[in-house]
Amino acid sequence: MTDPACNKFRLVKGDITRMEVDAIVNAANSSLLGGGGVDGAIHRAAGPELLEECRKLGGCPTGKAKATQGYRLPAKYVFHAVGPVWHGGDRGEDELLASCYRECLHLAKQYGVRTLPFPAISCGAYGFPVERAARIAIRTLREGLQSQPQIEAVYLVCFDDHTYRAYRQALKEECPDA
Ligand code: AR6
């Protein structure tokens, strides 16, 4: 039988900053003061007020997440998650990555978020192998969604074809009947 959580996944290709949803997830660094990749794109699209609010948060440890407003983004909130830097896999990277996804689900509950897109956290500048990260993301979200009936859709936002193919394969493995 299909796990109802599996029916909430939406695999999409595109730019997370354009999404009209309750909250988007950022792949931030522990300073929370912006950077390149999706973080840079989110700060550019949200405007300088986002950085102002981020300055007040005092950073964020790896594996955790903090929420801000979305300002000029179509999304109401941004959940800034700090993924691990890939060091080969034996420094707790898997667990730290899973923790990012769990933290964002907790924030979703707290903020009454029903639609939540994630980028491929840690899979760019931080070098996490995308096939492995995709399986961790889907497994962790699938588990966490069991206790989150208010979430209607979780978007897995892939910026390029390689990421898209990796997520499509991981979805097939983790949610074979969906
Ligand atoms: N929409 C969706 N996904 C995107 C977008 C976008 N607009 N832009 C890039 N991606 P990365 P990390 C994808 O490097 O590996 C920053 O400097 C990208 O193709 O953004 O967690 C932070 O400040 C990749 O698949 O994040 C940190 O210092 C994924 O998003 C550091 O990079 C994540 O790539 C974090 O590194």
Side-chain angles (χ1 to χ4, degrees):
M1 210 186 78
T2 309
D3 179 345
C6 282
N7 294 325
K8 296 187 177 182
F9 289 123
R10 309 275 181 271
L11 184 61
V12 296
K13 222 187 122 184
D15 180 352
I16 204 166
T17 65
R18 312 288 288 262
M19 296 189 72
E20 297 187 15
V21 287
D22 296 330
I24 61 171
V25 173
N26 183 15
N29 59 63
S30 54
S31 77
L32 295 186
L33 298 179
V38 69
D39 195 9
I42 288 173
H43 275 271
R44 275 194 301 279
E49 297 94 336
L50 177 60
L51 184 58
E52 251 172 65
E53 186 178 352
C54 282
R55 282 192 208 286
K56 296 179 191 147
L57 296 177
C60 179
T62 303
K64 303 279 182 198
K66 289 188 179 178
T68 64
Q69 304 290 318
Y71 300 98
R72 297 176 207 177
L73 289 164
K76 195 162 176 213
Y77 304 108
V78 182
F79 298 162
H80 305 264
V82 182
V85 176
W86 179 256
H87 288 292
D90 55 5
R91 293 207 208 164
E93 292 95 326
D94 290 354
E95 177 46 34
L96 287 165
L97 185 65
S99 169
C100 286
Y101 287 93
R102 282 195 294 269
E103 286 267 316
C104 290
L105 287 182
H106 288 151
L107 289 174
K109 193 169 215 169
Q110 210 175 314
Y111 286 81
V113 161
R114 287 169 306 175
T115 46
L116 184 64
F118 286 87
I121 300 170
S122 285
C123 293
Y126 281 180
F128 207 114
V130 64
E131 289 78 11
R132 183 167 172 144
R135 281 197 301 272
I136 292 168
I138 293 164
R139 217 173 277 164
T140 308
L141 289 168
R142 187 182 160 177
E143 213 174 282
L145 283 168
Q146 311 292 341
S147 53
Q148 299 260 25
Q150 97 282 357
I151 296 187
E152 291 162 9
V154 165
Y155 297 86
L156 305 167
V157 185
C158 304
F159 204 51
D160 53 45
D161 288 328
H162 177 225
T163 308
Y164 186 87
R165 280 194 296 272
Y167 269 82
R168 193 174 53 193
Q169 182 59 32
L171 256 183
K172 243 190 236 170
E173 287 167 18
E174 299 297 328
C175 291
D177 305 319

